[in-house]
Amino acid sequence: MSEWRFRPARDHGLTLAERVQSYDRERGLGSLITSGAWRLLCRLYLRVVHRLSITGMEHLPPPPFVMVANHSSHLDALTLASSLPWSSGRKAFALAAGDTFFTSTPASVFAAYAVNALPVWRKKTKPQDLDDMRRRLTDDGGVLILFPEGTRTRDGTMARFRPGVGSLVAGRPIPVVPCWIEGAFAAWPATAKFPRPGPLRLIIGEPLLFTETAQDRAGMVAIAEACEAAVRGLAPKR
Amino acid sequence: MSTAFAHPVTIGIVAATVGVVALAAAIIALLSVTGRVSPALRRELWLRTGSWAVLLPLMLGPVLIGRVTTIIAVTILGLLCLREYDRATGLFRDVVVAATVALGIVAVNWASLDQWYGFFMALMPLTVVLLAVVTIPLDSPDGYIQRIGLGIVAYMLFGASLAHLGYMSNDPNYRPIVLMLLTTVAINDVFAFTFGKLIGGPKLLPATSPNKTISGAVGALCGTSILVALIASQIFGGTPVGHPVLLLLLGAIVSIGGQCGDLMLSSIKRDLGIKDMGVVIPGHGGVLDRFNSLLLVAPATFHYLRYLDAIAPA
């Protein structure tokens, strides 16, 4: 017979306000149902209003993995999360700017329960936070949705990838799935308050593995460059 | 309004609870003005009293309004208890088992809403069987007994047991009975605390719950039995159930059931190594920390009263 394997939730004893902002957050039934319904709603919206088409679904590995993409719109994270099949979609989590999405408890509850977002506080990320994130990937078998540019593009061109993504996957068997989102900048740029109807396309590339890459600065930079090149390579030729 | 307060015991219980909270608030206010308590204790006292002021309308309100609201409130309470238990034990990571228990809780309360006693009872073995087979298709026997065990305990306590409280409301004269159970179970805790402090003496079960004493347990048993017998004599007086021995026995069931529920939750918490099941109710802890005593009292009193034909059969 196996050892007793049940443990209390990592976030046990936190109040709701603390819990929704905590990196120790673990999802229960309520959160799964809420986010499942939210993803379904997003999928419906994207299909109907933005006529979203997806290619490369067959490239998605089983969790855990990291999804990286170009970032030009609030539609990006919704597009990636809602395109995942249920088995990996329910394990998806995204990073969201704390000062935009976690400004109040109701906003944080929405971000946590519907989107399963974790707050990032600009310039305040500690090494411990990266460890927690890595644990969410490996121990929980999660799917991290990440935009390595760090912020939405203001002019439609893709910026350089920051090396942070490398520290999560260097020397570990966690694949990185490069994705290209086309049309999101036209539909909902950072300067607009609301989205406009317009076609969206999601292209999912083949996963990259960095099991042999060194866990140092040079390795991280190399991974960021490789991911960036892979994402750029998916962009439709103009 | 006239039906809600049709029975004098209903009026008495509601008036008494409002009075007790108001009195507590007045005493704390007096102590605060005279400066006889430390700010930390004062805050703690306000927090507890404030929580009761929110909790009591949420507990008594649905019972006063009617049968349907009572059963809905019991369903919500059961699901909240399950949520806390899931997170404290770690069962929430087994989504299929957690969802099956939640489904069972909803189903058993629906049966009580439908007054379908056969299905209400049948759900006990049916849910256990469903829990036993539902994870088999996942083909992961590792930890099978553990997750099934946790799931069955959860359904039995927060589904099958707690739902008896809702089923009682199918009796036309349920209000005074249910209100009496809700309030005397809480007073039972107060008796245990007070007698324990006043008399002291040897501990009851120091490894399980270090603060409980034998004198507190016996004091609560006597106090609650008499209190319940007194209130119940106003409800069942003049009927065959009105015999003093039967009424004292009802009180003993409330007291023993309440204390056992308390010790059961203490055992769970000790085993898990946690202090409180949650943080939902300021000054109290989690929902389960507050309602643990009801879990065993609900089925025990229900079947006792049914056996005596004191509540209407289905």
Side-chain angles (χ1 to χ4, degrees):
Chain A
M1 188 170 154
S2 50
E3 288 280 299
W4 191 258
R5 63 186 185 93
F6 285 89
R7 296 283 171 273
R10 287 195 297 259
D11 54 18
H12 182 84
L14 299 184
T15 63
L16 180 70
E18 294 164 346
R19 207 181 137 237
V20 287
Q21 297 205 356
S22 168
Y23 275 33
D24 283 334
R25 196 175 73 223
E26 284 193 272
R27 331 182 66 183
L29 217 49
S31 166
L32 284 175
I33 294 170
T34 319
S35 75
W38 172 249
R39 280 202 313 279
L40 209 67
L41 213 68
C42 286
R43 189 179 299 185
L44 200 73
Y45 163 80
L46 293 168
R47 286 279 153 89
V48 172
V49 179
H50 297 285
R51 303 190 302 281
L52 172 67
S53 66
I54 305 169
T55 47
M57 280 294 277
E58 69 280 5
H59 293 316
L60 288 176
F65 60 90
V66 180
M67 268 182 134
V68 296
N70 58 319
H71 196 18
S72 55
S73 169
H74 284 321
L75 291 172
D76 295 340
L78 305 183
T79 306
L80 292 183
S82 63
S83 65
L84 290 170
W86 164 254
S87 56
S88 39
R90 73 188 179 92
K91 293 180 171 173
F93 63 104
L95 300 181
D99 48 21
T100 311
F101 295 96
F102 287 85
T103 45
S104 66
T105 302
S108 306
V109 169
F110 174 77
Y113 272 77
V115 191
N116 199 19
L118 295 179
V120 194
W121 306 97
R122 290 178 214 269
K123 301 196 174 88
K124 273 194 227 160
T125 307
K126 299 183 290 284
Q128 172 68 34
D129 295 343
L130 280 171
D131 288 343
D132 287 341
M133 225 174 290
R134 212 174 287 129
R135 191 177 59 190
R136 290 182 84 90
L137 275 170
T138 48
D139 295 4
D140 302 357
V143 175
L144 171 62
I145 292 172
L146 192 68
F147 300 104
E149 291 166 80
T151 185
R152 287 171 295 166
T153 169
R154 307 293 141 153
D155 58 5
T157 58
M158 192 176 110
R160 303 303 309 269
F161 275 14
R162 297 185 189 186
V165 57
S167 67
L168 291 173
V169 297
R172 293 187 173 78
I174 305 173
V176 179
V177 181
C179 302
W180 181 269
I181 303 163
E182 182 71 20
F185 184 72
W188 196 3
T191 46
K193 205 153 184 191
F194 297 104
R196 283 191 305 262
L200 275 179
R201 236 182 106 189
L202 169 63
I203 303 145
I204 302 171
E206 283 179 36
L208 314 168
L209 260 176
F210 301 99
T211 327
E212 304 300 325
T213 313
Q215 297 179 348
D216 55 15
R217 184 76 200 169
M220 285 166 62
V221 171
I223 291 173
E225 282 172 356
C227 291
E228 188 185 327
V231 171
R232 280 189 201 283
L234 294 170
K237 303 287 170 286
R238 270 170 248 266
Chain B
M1 211 57 178
S2 57
T3 21
F5 290 101
H7 201 286
V9 170
T10 311
I11 303 172
I13 288 176
V14 173
T17 44
V18 172
V20 167
V21 173
L23 186 69
I27 291 173
I28 301 169
L30 195 71
L31 289 173
S32 308
V33 171
T34 54
R36 299 196 47 170
V37 288
S38 67
L41 179 63
R42 195 168 65 206
R43 194 176 165 277
E44 173 73 17
L45 288 173
W46 275 124
L47 212 57
R48 280 184 173 243
T49 316
S51 292
W52 272 120
V54 175
L55 264 182
L56 281 170
L58 286 177
M59 282 163 59
L60 307 188
V63 180
L64 289 172
I65 295 169
R67 182 183 83 87
V68 176
T69 48
T70 307
I71 293 172
I72 291 174
V74 170
T75 315
I76 294 172
L77 180 61
L79 291 173
L80 288 176
C81 288
L82 172 68
R83 178 176 179 273
E84 252 172 27
Y85 170 93
D86 276 354
R87 299 201 73 81
T89 57
L91 183 62
F92 73 101
R93 295 189 190 95
D94 270 283
V95 179
V96 177
V97 176
T100 308
V101 177
L103 193 72
I105 292 176
V106 173
V108 76
N109 283 288
W110 176 78
S112 107
L113 194 64
D114 197 44
Q115 307 194 29
W116 185 1
Y117 190 67
F119 190 48
F120 180 79
M121 282 295 144
L123 271 166
M124 247 186 265
L126 290 181
T127 311
V128 170
V129 168
L130 187 62
L131 281 168
V133 299
V134 77
T135 64
I136 293 176
L138 299 178
D139 195 23
S140 83
D142 188 36
Y144 173 82
I145 300 174
Q146 297 174 21
R147 61 176 179 258
I148 300 310
L150 284 171
I152 291 175
V153 170
Y155 175 72
M156 284 301 171
L157 292 178
F158 318 129
S161 291
L162 200 58
H164 283 84
L165 197 66
Y167 206 98
M168 263 182 229
S169 67
N170 288 322
D171 183 275
N173 189 29
Y174 75 95
R175 285 190 183 87
I177 305 173
V178 173
L179 290 178
M180 175 182 73
L181 293 179
L182 286 175
T183 46
T184 51
V185 151
I187 292 172
N188 189 41
D189 293 347
V190 178
F191 276 151
F193 178 81
T194 315
F195 282 108
K197 281 274 179 259
L198 287 179
I199 302 171
K203 303 279 181 201
L204 181 64
L205 297 163
T208 308
S209 188
N211 292 327
K212 292 196 174 61
T213 56
I214 295 175
S215 59
V218 176
L221 177 60
C222 300
T224 307
S225 298
I226 294 168
L227 180 69
V228 170
L230 286 175
I231 302 174
S233 70
Q234 298 300 308
I235 305 174
F236 301 116
T239 69
V241 197
H243 192 281
V245 174
L246 294 177
L247 297 180
L248 280 170
L249 199 55
L250 176 65
I253 290 174
V254 171
S255 183
I256 293 170
Q259 297 192 48
C260 286
D262 204 342
L263 291 166
M264 177 186 69
L265 189 78
S266 296
S267 306
I268 293 176
K269 290 192 288 193
R270 283 277 142 174
D271 197 10
L272 289 167
I274 57 177
K275 189 182 163 289
D276 285 328
M277 292 298 280
V279 288
V280 183
I281 314 175
H284 293 260
V287 177
L288 267 173
D289 295 297
R290 183 63 264 149
F291 292 98
N292 53 31
S293 326
L294 264 182
L295 298 175
L296 306 184
V297 169
T301 51
F302 177 88
H303 290 292
Y304 178 70
L305 291 172
R306 244 178 91 84
Y307 178 71
L308 296 174
D309 284 328
I311 48 177

